[in-house]
Structure formats: structure tokens, C-alpha cells
Amino acid sequence: MKHVSAIIFGAAIIIAAYFLGNAYVQRANPPQIISVTGLGNENFTSDLIVWEGQFSANSTVLKIAFDQLNNDKEIVRQYLVSKGIESASIIFNSVQTTEMRDNQYENGNYVGSIFRGYQLMQTLNIESENVALIESVSREITELLNKGVQFNSSPPRYYYTKLADLKIEMISKATEDARIRAEKIAENAGSDLGDLVSANMGVFQITGQNSGEDYSWGGAYNTSSKNKTASITMRLEYKVK
């Protein structure tokens, strides 16, 4: 019985020594990893434009204001169609009605308000793939003033309908860029590049070309520039042989 206990005790010491020795070797020779970041970017031109504007009418009589707004709406519609914009692309939104009042004060205290009339406002939205046409019309829209319509135009917004395909292409470019960097680092260290351990995609950014825009941690998405630059980063980790 004593011999069996001694054998078991000896075996336990040998096993413990093996694991401790192996742990020491692993600590002394940690796995060699190269971490690199690759960049993929692409310049592109927007193929979709969204343009919005609004016009209004004022009167102390609601029906008069509404009739004036409808008259202006038809003038705006005919003008846009005459410029080559398809009628189906012109979306008129619901009319917004606001009562205009002047606040009255006595000795600095509010005592009520006086009714001044109604303001009716209507917005329109145009979405088109004919970017050049909508750009041109948006710059000439002040011609409506000659027709008695005060039209307030918002700056056009630009989008790209093939963004998903572009993103895939950029991920491929960023990954290839990172791999080339890793190979160069391994070569300069006199080693060979091993298996890929991990790959993490960075933030997708869209900025205006030559705009000097700052990148955002959450991802910039420029809509004010027709010509844009998209960029993405890929962080790769490789083993070194």
C-alpha cells in the first residue's frame, strides 16, 4: 500500500512539473502576431438627387389663403414640368396651417394676443436620377418670383444607389492593403506570414471630395456634395512563422 501511494505521489509530481514547465515555455515564447490596418477608398459621383422646397400664402380669411396656395401650387408644378421634370417625380406634401398672432403686453405683463391672419405652407419633394437637370432647376428656381410665387429652396442632397456594391469592393481593397503591409513587416523581420487570426472592419465613411471634412467615430455620411470619397479600414492579425 505504501509503494502504491509513493508511485501515485511521484506521478503527480512529474505531471505537475510537466505542466509548469510547458507554461514557462509558452510564457517565454509567446505566439508571434502581426497587427496591421489596411485602407480602402474610392471616389464616386452621386447618381440620385433629392431636392425640397416650400411656398406659402397669407390671409386673414382661411379660404382666400387656401385658394392662393392652390394657385401658387399649380404655377410651381407647371414651371417644373416646363423645365423637363416629370410630373410623377413632383411630390406635394400636406398643407400646414398656422394662426399668426401678435402678443400684447401691459406694464411688461402678457395680457393676450391679437389675431393677424393665417399662414398656409406647402412643401414639395423631388427625387430623381437625373442629377444634372435637378441641379440646374434648383439654381434657377428664383424665376418663380417673376410669376408671383415666393419659393424657398433647400440645398439638394446627393446619394448613391450602388453603395452596397461599393462597400464590398472597398472591404476587398482594404483587406488586400492590410495583407501587403503584413507581408512587408514579416519580410523585414526575416519571417514568413502565417495564418490569418482575426479580421475586424472599421467605420465606413463618406465625405465630400476635397472638402476637408473631419472623420467621425460613428461614421461620416456626406449628402451635400455630388462628388464624394468613401473609405473604410480593415484591421487584420496574422501569425508569423
Side-chain angles (χ1 to χ4, degrees), residues 101-121:
R101 291 181 172 273
D102 288 331
N103 293 331
Q104 299 295 306
Y105 297 89
E106 289 184 5
N107 300 320
N109 297 317
Y110 174 76
V111 294
S113 62
I114 297 177
F115 175 73
R116 288 198 300 113
Y118 296 98
Q119 180 183 67
L120 274 60
M121 180 180 298

Side-chain angles (χ1 to χ4, degrees), residues 140-154:
E140 300 170 354
I141 196 65
T142 51
E143 290 178 348
L144 281 173
L145 290 173
N146 296 328
K147 300 178 181 294
V149 180
Q150 184 174 347
F151 188 93
N152 296 312
S153 172
S154 300

